[in-house]
Amino acid sequence: MRINSEIREHLSEFDFEQFLDLEGITYRKTTGKGGLELNIRECPTCGNHDWKVYFNPKTKVGVCFAGSHPQDEQFNVFRFLQRHSGLSGRELSRYSRTRLAT
C-alpha cells in the first residue's frame, strides 16, 4: 500500500495538462458544465481515436464516451496514468517521481 499512497500523494498536486504535453498526447481545451475540460484524442483503455475522452483538470476525473469503452472503467489521474504507461506498482511510482516531477 505504501507505493500507492506515494503515487497518490504525488498525483494530488499533479498538473494533468503538463503531463499530456510531456507525453505528446493530443488534446484540445473545451468547456463543459464543470468548466474547462481537456478533450483527449485517444483513450488509453479502449484505444478509440475519435476524441471521446473528456477530462476535468480541476476535479481530476475523466470519462470516455466511446461505445467500446467499458462503462465501469472511467478515469482519475492515477488510472489514466496506469493505462497510458502500462505500468503499476514500483514501476509506476518511479515513473511518477522521475518522469513527471513537477
Side-chain angles (χ1 to χ4, degrees):
M1 282 306 262
R2 183 171 174 260
I3 293 169
N4 281 345
S5 64
E6 287 176 9
I7 294 170
R8 290 180 199 282
E9 183 178 329
H10 176 73
L11 295 181
S12 67
E13 298 176 15
F14 186 70
D15 184 335
F16 191 73
E17 191 172 349
Q18 181 182 13
F19 161 71
L20 296 176
D21 290 335
L22 278 170
E23 293 296 307
I25 297 171
T26 305
Y27 71 97
R28 55 190 173 200
K29 295 179 183 181
T30 61
T31 304
K33 290 180 184 178
L36 174 67
E37 290 185 344
L38 304 176
N39 181 210
I40 302 167
R41 181 162 189 207
E42 182 179 354
C43 177
T45 297
C46 70
N48 184 286
H49 287 77
D50 295 330
W51 299 96
K52 299 290 185 179
V53 177
Y54 290 85
F55 195 91
N56 184 313
K58 184 177 179 181
T59 62
K60 299 186 181 197
V61 174
V63 62
C64 176
F65 292 103
S68 59
H69 187 93
Q71 288 189 356
D72 61 336
E73 288 192 34
Q74 300 309 329
F75 301 109
N76 57 27
V77 174
F78 180 77
R79 184 172 282 179
F80 192 97
L81 202 61
Q82 252 185 334
R83 298 289 189 224
H84 170 73
S85 69
L87 302 173
S88 62
R90 293 184 195 285
E91 293 83 17
L92 184 59
S93 180
R94 190 175 310 113
Y95 175 81
S96 72
R97 280 192 324 266
T98 57
R99 176 83 170 113
L100 306 175
T102 54

